[in-house]
Amino acid sequence: MERSVRCWDCHREIEDPYIDSCPSCNGLLEVTLDLEPVKELKPSDLSSRPLGVWRYQPFLPVDPSLAVSLQEGGTPLYRCLNLANDIGIREVNVKYEGANPTGSFKDRGMTVGITRAREIGADTVGCASTGNTSASLAAYAAKAGMGCVVLLPEGKVALGKLAQAIFYGAKVVSIEGNFDDALGTVRELAEQRYLYLLNSINPFRPEGQKSVLFEIMDQLYYDVPDRIVLPVGNAGNISAVHKALKELVEVGWIDEMPMLTGIQASGSMPLVDAFNRKAKDFNADKMPETVATAIRIGNPVSGRKALEAIYSTGGHAIEVTDEEILAAQMLLGRREGVGVEPASAASIAGLRRLMDEGIMDRDERVVCICTGNALKDPEVMISQCSPPVKAKATAEAVMRAIS
Ligand code: F0G
């Protein structure tokens, strides 16, 4: 596969794998693929492989013989009739990324990112994280036999994610500051070649994350939905989904794009602010705060790519309050039996907002990407529910307790 890493802004080619922004203009990097050979294929040519990231190998810029995989991807797309009814729209599908090996969508990017780390002979990998990236990286580093260093914002990482990072054997450093501070620090460590950085600023990470879109298209038999709604934090995922859409158009597998719609929490919404001003760039929020700690990010690295994704597909950027997020999390659990973490519930909360604000038509077919498993954040789940009732071990006592 012909591939190169280029600056997204000035298109300069970048050879050094440890560089994470353009030395000429400081722009974001992106992998460019030669998709000519893929134009000979059609989607059904890939369908003999199991649904999952590596089914889409013709779109992946790494050597498959070096692949480090935990069989990521292949997650369910639930058709949610109760939810559609409650919100009053024609069709809602939930792409349940909580079913990935470490419980979040990050595994899609990480299998490709860690394979790239192996290609370049890295022995230590690292990231800053609001939790899920660190859990995922720690697991893939364990599988690949690499050292792993993760920087987390002190006191702001959900319990399940912290437990995972420690459990898989990463060196976990609690940083005084927020995610944006931690990312700045880990980028310095990468610059000094101390570690190979696997945040989504690494252009190989989004290459794996493209697969969520490829799977959605397969699961909908290439009947393009009207809208894809997803939570936005550091803005890697929405940019990856957009890149996947552009590639499917390029190879002729689809001829239109869904409206990409990014949701941010009201306390942490630099991109919504920019969208409301119709701006192409955003102002960083120095004090992001939200119950959805996964997206508690004030300076999204891929923010400009995200805005382009939204503008060029006719989509939107919408804010939702913490109360709306928690209500949506409960709604999805109680009406559909689907457990997602608060950041993921932002996409469900976004549906209500889109309807209330008259942005979304009730005839739309929508896909919400629910990025992480409810078990990631048991404390938030428990805090919203009644505690168990106590009873003696007799049928009568139990009947009394539940009546
Ligand atoms: N949902 C969840 C559950 C996440 O963990 C994240 C990001 C997002 C949505 C937003 O995705 O950053 O690509 O816009 N979590 C990162 C982390 C920042 O460190 O785990 P994004």
Side-chain angles (χ1 to χ4, degrees):
M1 142 86 56
E2 287 289 317
R3 59 139 202 244
S4 56
V5 174
R6 289 182 182 277
C7 173
W8 186 68
D9 290 290
C10 74
H11 308 294
R12 173 177 165 175
E13 189 168 351
I14 312 291
E15 309 269 349
D16 181 344
Y18 281 86
I19 287 182
D20 64 19
S21 58
C22 176
S24 309
C25 74
N26 204 29
L28 297 161
L29 307 187
E30 177 172 77
V31 175
T32 314
L33 303 173
D34 174 14
L35 292 173
E36 278 310 310
V38 190
K39 290 182 184 166
E40 310 293 314
L41 302 174
K42 47 191 189 314
S44 58
D45 292 327
L46 306 183
S47 60
S48 61
R49 306 183 192 196
L51 192 68
V53 175
W54 292 93
R55 171 184 282 195
Y56 306 100
Q57 194 190 304
F59 294 90
L60 302 180
V62 282
D63 177 355
S65 72
L66 297 177
V68 180
S69 172
L70 292 167
Q71 300 183 26
E72 47 293 309
T75 58
L77 184 72
Y78 296 127
R79 180 80 180 265
C80 292
L81 300 179
N82 295 334
L83 190 63
N85 237 347
D86 290 354
I87 291 173
I89 47 176
R90 181 173 141 211
E91 186 180 319
V92 182
N93 300 279
V94 165
K95 182 66 170 162
Y96 184 55
E97 290 293 282
N100 274 294
T102 75
S104 86
F105 73 103
K106 304 287 181 182
D107 296 342
R108 296 179 179 278
M110 217 50 88
T111 183
V112 173
I114 209 97
T115 300
R116 174 66 179 155
R118 190 180 258 181
E119 266 183 9
I120 66 163
D123 55 16
T124 304
V125 290
C127 69
S129 180
T130 56
N132 281 322
T133 300
S134 68
S136 182
L137 182 59
Y140 282 85
K143 172 92 177 170
M146 293 176 193
C148 178
V149 179
V150 306
L151 275 57
L152 306 179
E154 189 177 9
K156 292 291 182 181
V157 173
L159 191 64
K161 304 174 189 181
L162 186 62
Q164 286 178 293
I166 297 169
F167 172 72
Y168 291 121
K171 285 192 183 134
V172 178
V173 186
S174 238
I175 294 288
E176 285 174 35
N178 60 29
F179 169 84
D180 306 302
D181 303 318
L183 184 58
T185 309
V186 80
R187 285 178 75 175
E188 278 178 40
L189 293 169
E191 229 168 75
Q192 293 165 23
R193 307 287 198 270
Y194 179 73
L195 49 80
Y196 181 59
L197 186 66
L198 277 171
N199 278 98
S200 59
I201 194 166
N202 179 326
F204 286 83
R205 274 272 317 277
E207 290 301 302
Q209 285 175 210
K210 292 184 310 192
S211 62
V212 73
L213 186 276
F214 299 146
E215 280 183 19
I216 289 168
M217 288 304 162
D218 261 333
Q219 289 166 313
L220 294 177
Y221 304 99
Y222 283 82
D223 187 3
V224 180
D226 297 301
R227 191 184 295 276
I228 294 183
V229 183
L230 70 169
V232 174
N234 213 21
N237 207 29
I238 191 167
S239 317
V241 168
H242 187 219
K243 187 166 191 279
L245 286 167
K246 287 188 283 188
E247 290 179 1
L248 288 189
V249 170
E250 188 184 335
V251 300
W253 291 8
I254 59 173
D255 48 23
E256 54 183 340
M257 292 193 197
M259 293 174 273
L260 290 181
T261 301
I263 314 294
Q264 294 199 296
S266 301
S268 180
M269 47 171 249
L271 299 180
V272 175
D273 266 339
F275 179 81
N276 290 341
R277 291 185 282 107
K278 299 190 170 54
K280 286 192 176 150
D281 205 350
F282 63 94
N283 300 321
D285 176 349
K286 293 213 163 46
M287 303 279 281
E289 202 50 81
T290 166
V291 69
T293 49
I295 52 171
R296 184 176 170 270
I297 293 175
N299 189 13
V301 156
S302 302
R304 286 187 304 121
K305 284 187 183 175
L307 287 168
E308 200 222 46
I310 290 167
Y311 291 132
S312 68
T313 59
H316 298 84
I318 296 284
E319 67 170 296
V320 291
T321 64
D322 280 2
E323 291 70 32
E324 289 170 328
I325 288 173
L326 294 175
Q329 185 189 26
M330 290 297 281
L331 180 71
L332 195 59
R334 298 268 163 108
R335 293 283 286 150
E336 295 287 349
V338 176
V340 303
E341 67 165 286
S344 312
S347 60
I348 306 296
L351 291 181
R352 273 250 153 86
R353 276 277 183 141
L354 290 162
M355 284 304 278
D356 290 350
E357 292 181 15
I359 295 168
M360 190 162 66
D361 193 288
R362 59 176 59 251
D363 276 336
E364 283 189 19
R365 292 174 56 238
V366 180
V367 175
C368 287
I369 303 183
C370 284
T371 42
N373 197 301
L375 295 171
K376 293 278 191 175
D377 199 341
E379 289 171 314
V380 165
M381 256 198 297
I382 290 170
S383 71
Q384 290 205 83
C385 305
S386 318
V389 284
K390 285 192 176 180
K392 289 217 160 61
T394 68
E396 198 186 60
V398 171
M399 298 256 279
R400 217 177 310 118
I402 62 177
S403 66

Short mmCIF file of all heavy atoms in Angstrom, two decimals, residues 83 140 174 189 248 286 310 346 366:
data_model
loop_
_atom_site.label_atom_id
_atom_site.label_comp_id
_atom_site.label_asym_id
_atom_site.label_seq_id
_atom_site.Cartn_x
_atom_site.Cartn_y
_atom_site.Cartn_z
N LEU A 83 -36.31 4.17 21.66
CA LEU A 83 -35.66 5.49 21.68
C LEU A 83 -36.21 6.38 20.56
O LEU A 83 -36.53 7.56 20.78
CB LEU A 83 -34.15 5.29 21.52
CG LEU A 83 -33.27 6.49 21.74
CD1 LEU A 83 -33.38 7.00 23.17
CD2 LEU A 83 -31.81 6.13 21.44
N TYR A 140 -2.94 -2.84 24.71
CA TYR A 140 -2.24 -3.17 23.46
C TYR A 140 -0.73 -3.20 23.66
O TYR A 140 -0.04 -4.03 23.05
CB TYR A 140 -2.65 -2.21 22.33
CG TYR A 140 -4.01 -2.58 21.78
CD1 TYR A 140 -5.17 -2.12 22.39
CD2 TYR A 140 -4.13 -3.45 20.70
CE1 TYR A 140 -6.42 -2.50 21.93
CE2 TYR A 140 -5.38 -3.83 20.23
CZ TYR A 140 -6.52 -3.35 20.85
OH TYR A 140 -7.76 -3.75 20.40
N SER A 174 -0.27 10.61 37.57
CA SER A 174 -1.37 11.55 37.81
C SER A 174 -0.81 12.97 37.70
O SER A 174 0.09 13.34 38.46
CB SER A 174 -1.88 11.33 39.23
OG SER A 174 -3.22 11.02 39.20
N LEU A 189 7.75 14.64 25.98
CA LEU A 189 8.46 13.35 26.17
C LEU A 189 8.66 12.65 24.82
O LEU A 189 9.69 12.03 24.58
CB LEU A 189 7.68 12.43 27.11
CG LEU A 189 7.59 12.90 28.57
CD1 LEU A 189 6.59 12.06 29.35
CD2 LEU A 189 8.97 12.81 29.22
N LEU A 248 -14.50 6.58 1.12
CA LEU A 248 -15.55 5.76 0.49
C LEU A 248 -16.10 6.46 -0.76
O LEU A 248 -16.44 5.80 -1.76
CB LEU A 248 -16.68 5.47 1.47
CG LEU A 248 -16.38 4.48 2.60
CD1 LEU A 248 -17.66 4.11 3.34
CD2 LEU A 248 -15.70 3.21 2.09
N LYS A 286 -10.00 27.27 28.91
CA LYS A 286 -8.94 26.91 29.88
C LYS A 286 -9.46 26.13 31.07
O LYS A 286 -8.69 25.52 31.80
CB LYS A 286 -8.22 28.18 30.36
CG LYS A 286 -7.42 28.85 29.25
CD LYS A 286 -6.17 29.51 29.78
CE LYS A 286 -5.16 29.83 28.70
NZ LYS A 286 -5.69 30.45 27.50
N ILE A 310 -17.65 19.02 10.02
CA ILE A 310 -19.03 19.45 10.28
C ILE A 310 -19.52 20.38 9.17
O ILE A 310 -20.60 20.17 8.60
CB ILE A 310 -19.11 20.13 11.67
CG1 ILE A 310 -18.90 19.07 12.76
CG2 ILE A 310 -20.43 20.86 11.85
CD1 ILE A 310 -18.65 19.63 14.15
N ALA A 346 -23.87 11.62 25.60
CA ALA A 346 -24.00 12.97 25.03
C ALA A 346 -24.61 12.90 23.64
O ALA A 346 -25.38 13.77 23.24
CB ALA A 346 -22.64 13.65 24.99
N VAL A 366 -30.92 8.15 11.61
CA VAL A 366 -29.78 8.65 12.37
C VAL A 366 -28.97 7.50 12.96
O VAL A 366 -29.53 6.48 13.36
CB VAL A 366 -30.27 9.56 13.53
CG1 VAL A 366 -29.11 10.11 14.33
CG2 VAL A 366 -31.12 10.69 12.99
#
